[in-house]
Amino acid sequence: MPVIQLNTRSLIAPVGIVRFFEIFLSCTAFSLVAASSVPRDSYGAWCMFTWCFCFAVSVLIVVLELVGLCEKLPLSWDDFTSAFSMLAALMIFTSSIMYPSTTFENPCSGSGCAHKGAATAMSCLCFIAYAVEVGLTRARPGDVSSFLATIPGLLKVFEAYVACLIFSLVSYPGTYSGKPGLQWCLAVYSICFIVTLLIIILTVGRCLTYIPFPLEKALVGYNALAVLMYLTAAVVWPIYSFRNNPRPDSCGSNCPWNRQLGVTFLTFFNLIAYVVDLVYSSRMVFVTVPA
């Protein structure tokens, strides 16, 4: 029977210490919320899912590295952990904004309000912990052994996450029938998300070596195409959404007009991300750094 040798160094390394803070803070956040009241709205449920998901995956990562099983998994472990830390930072950042803005709409008092305030503080600290991990595991200039740890790789995770936020806001596809401009924008969001997600999955699964063409130049070409597509969406979406459509007087958080405004901002965020991605990818391919 094989003997499992514990890798205790993974626990005392800087990244290992940061992960313990992530586990503690995410666990504290969802415990405080659960102790006050169970969220009944979709926003509160999303925040609870975020904290629980990040807690569970972080525990799994620590355990796998401790027992040394991470090296036996059929995936690129460094790419996986880099992608997860970036995704967790984005998810918890969103929850740190969403949770207080939705739960403190109604007046509260007593221990329930204190729990919600403490949960918000723990969530903000947890975001800082994951951001620190992203900084610790980010590849240094010239190191391309782990693609998702590079700036273009981290931007891929950001682009996919922002696309998911866009999809959550355009959750009424029937309202876009008869509007070819908005349908084109939905196609842009979907195509870029699918390709970006496919790149992430192939990278984590160590399948990029089987691609029969120069991957780096293909990524530059895709980023250039994505910039052009998002540029058209950044122009077309506001025109079709807000032309002859002023903001209603009574427009709450679920108001379609507010959702369309949110999509507009997220479209520009992703456009900027793809532009930066294109610049960094082009430098990695076409600019030779002298030895």
Side-chain angles (χ1 to χ4, degrees), residues 119-264:
T120 302
M122 293 297 103
S123 183
C124 293
L125 293 175
C126 191
F127 159 71
I128 295 175
Y130 278 108
V132 170
E133 182 181 351
V134 172
L136 290 174
T137 58
R138 184 176 67 85
R140 298 299 175 256
D143 182 11
V144 294
S145 59
S146 177
F147 172 71
L148 292 181
T150 62
I151 296 296
L154 295 174
L155 285 172
K156 286 286 181 289
V157 180
F158 177 85
E159 294 156 3
Y161 180 74
V162 172
C164 290
L165 293 181
I166 291 176
F167 293 144
S168 69
L169 294 177
V170 294
S171 54
Y172 303 100
T175 59
Y176 308 114
S177 60
K179 298 180 180 179
L182 297 183
Q183 291 174 358
W184 161 252
C185 294
L186 293 178
V188 169
Y189 304 143
S190 301
I191 293 172
C192 293
F193 170 74
I194 293 172
V195 176
T196 301
L197 182 62
L198 185 61
I199 293 172
I200 296 173
I201 293 174
L202 292 177
T203 303
V204 174
R206 294 177 178 174
C207 299
L208 295 179
T209 55
Y210 301 104
I211 298 178
F213 49 81
L215 177 66
E216 294 80 5
K217 294 183 179 180
L219 289 178
V220 173
Y222 162 67
N223 289 331
L225 179 61
V227 167
L228 295 176
M229 294 175 68
Y230 259 91
L231 185 61
T232 62
V235 175
V236 172
W237 181 271
I239 293 176
Y240 274 81
S241 297
F242 304 118
R243 185 175 55 187
N244 301 324
N245 182 26
R247 188 177 190 272
D249 295 332
S250 57
C251 193
S253 58
N254 289 321
C255 176
W257 196 94
N258 282 347
R259 286 174 171 265
Q260 292 174 333
L261 181 63
V263 172
T264 302

Side-chain angles (χ1 to χ4, degrees), residues 31-90:
S31 299
L32 287 170
V33 174
S36 60
S37 61
V38 178
R40 292 180 173 83
D41 61 315
S42 58
Y43 298 107
W46 161 255
C47 295
M48 281 291 288
F49 166 77
T50 296
W51 296 321
C52 294
F53 170 76
C54 294
F55 167 79
V57 178
S58 295
V59 170
L60 180 64
I61 290 174
V62 170
V63 171
L64 290 177
E65 290 193 347
L66 177 62
V67 300
L69 291 179
C70 59
E71 301 174 356
K72 298 178 174 59
L73 296 176
L75 52 84
S76 175
W77 184 253
D78 291 337
D79 284 310
F80 170 74
T81 54
S82 298
F84 167 72
S85 60
M86 183 64 177
L87 176 63
L90 294 171

Side-chain angles (χ1 to χ4, degrees), residues 262-285:
V263 172
T264 302
F265 280 105
L266 292 175
T267 300
F268 279 97
F269 288 159
N270 242 4
L271 173 60
I272 295 172
Y274 276 109
V275 170
V276 177
D277 195 354
L278 175 61
V279 172
Y280 271 92
S281 300
S282 301
R283 288 182 58 187
M284 291 175 63
V285 174

